[in-house]
Amino acid sequence: MNIDRGPDPMGSLGDLYQEVILDHYRKPRNYGKLAVADRTAEGHNPLCGDRVALTVKLKGETIDDLKFEGKGCAISTASSSMMTESVKGKTRAEAGALFEKFHKLVTGAGSAGDLGKLEAFGGVSEFPVRVKCASLAWHTLKAAWEGGGTITTE
Ligand code: ZN
C-alpha cells in the first residue's frame, strides 16, 4: 500500500504518522456515501492528489450524519475520518469553531489545547506541504454547508 504519495518532507514522516492517524487511515470511520443527503461537496488537493467527497445530512442547524469517500494520502484520509467523527451531532457553529481551532493547530498559529484526538495532527504544522492534506476534509465540509460544489485547494 502506498501510504505517502506526496513529497517527503525530509524523510522524517515517522513522527507525523502517529498511531491514531495510522489507525484512522487503515480503518476510516464514516466511510461511504449517504443514500439521502442534504449537502454534498467534493474537495481536491492537487499538490498531493488527495480527493474527498462528502455527503451530509442536516437536522436544522445540526450535522445529523455525514460520510466521506475519497482517495488520498494517510494524512488526508485520517483527517477526513476524524473530521466526520468530530463534527457529527454538532451544530454548524460548533463545527466551524472546531475547524478554526484545527486550522490553528495544523498551521502552527497557536496551540488549541482541547482538541482531543485531533491534536494528533499537531505535527503537521512542521510540514507546510501537509497542511492542505490535513485541512482538505474541513474545507470540503465548509463548502458543503455553504451550498456544495467542488473546491480545490491552492
Ligand atoms: Zn495528501
Side-chain angles (χ1 to χ4, degrees):
M1 192 177 291
N2 192 0
I3 290 185
D4 178 49
R5 294 185 296 112
D8 185 350
M10 300 170 290
S12 41
L13 280 169
D15 295 341
L16 197 50
Y17 293 98
Q18 293 190 16
E19 208 171 312
V20 60
I21 293 180
L22 282 177
D23 180 55
H24 276 263
Y25 172 58
R26 292 179 181 131
K27 289 175 291 180
R29 321 299 200 266
N30 304 307
Y31 193 88
K33 200 175 178 180
L34 293 176
V36 181
D38 298 301
R39 296 278 193 279
T40 60
E42 287 179 27
H44 181 212
N45 170 20
L47 202 63
C48 179
D50 308 315
R51 283 182 187 278
V52 59
L54 285 180
T55 43
V56 184
K57 191 169 169 286
L58 300 173
K59 193 187 269 173
E61 278 291 294
T62 301
I63 298 168
D64 193 40
D65 201 4
L66 77 171
K67 283 186 186 288
F68 83 98
E69 282 182 325
K71 263 195 174 139
C73 65
I75 296 288
S76 76
T77 303
S79 177
S80 302
S81 172
M82 286 167 78
M83 182 280 286
T84 58
E85 266 197 344
S86 309
V87 303
K88 202 187 272 193
K90 289 209 162 47
T91 64
R92 246 182 228 215
E94 287 167 343
L98 202 56
F99 179 24
E100 222 166 274
K101 280 188 196 170
F102 182 78
H103 199 257
K104 274 189 185 157
L105 176 77
V106 297
T107 55
S111 122
D114 52 351
L115 278 172
K117 273 199 286 185
L118 291 174
E119 285 179 31
F121 290 96
V124 167
S125 64
E126 290 169 43
F127 306 98
V129 76
R130 291 281 157 203
V131 171
K132 290 181 171 66
C133 303
S135 55
L136 178 65
W138 292 87
H139 282 295
T140 309
L141 177 66
K142 195 159 174 262
W145 74 48
E146 282 170 359
T150 304
I151 58 139
T152 302
T153 61
E154 287 168 20

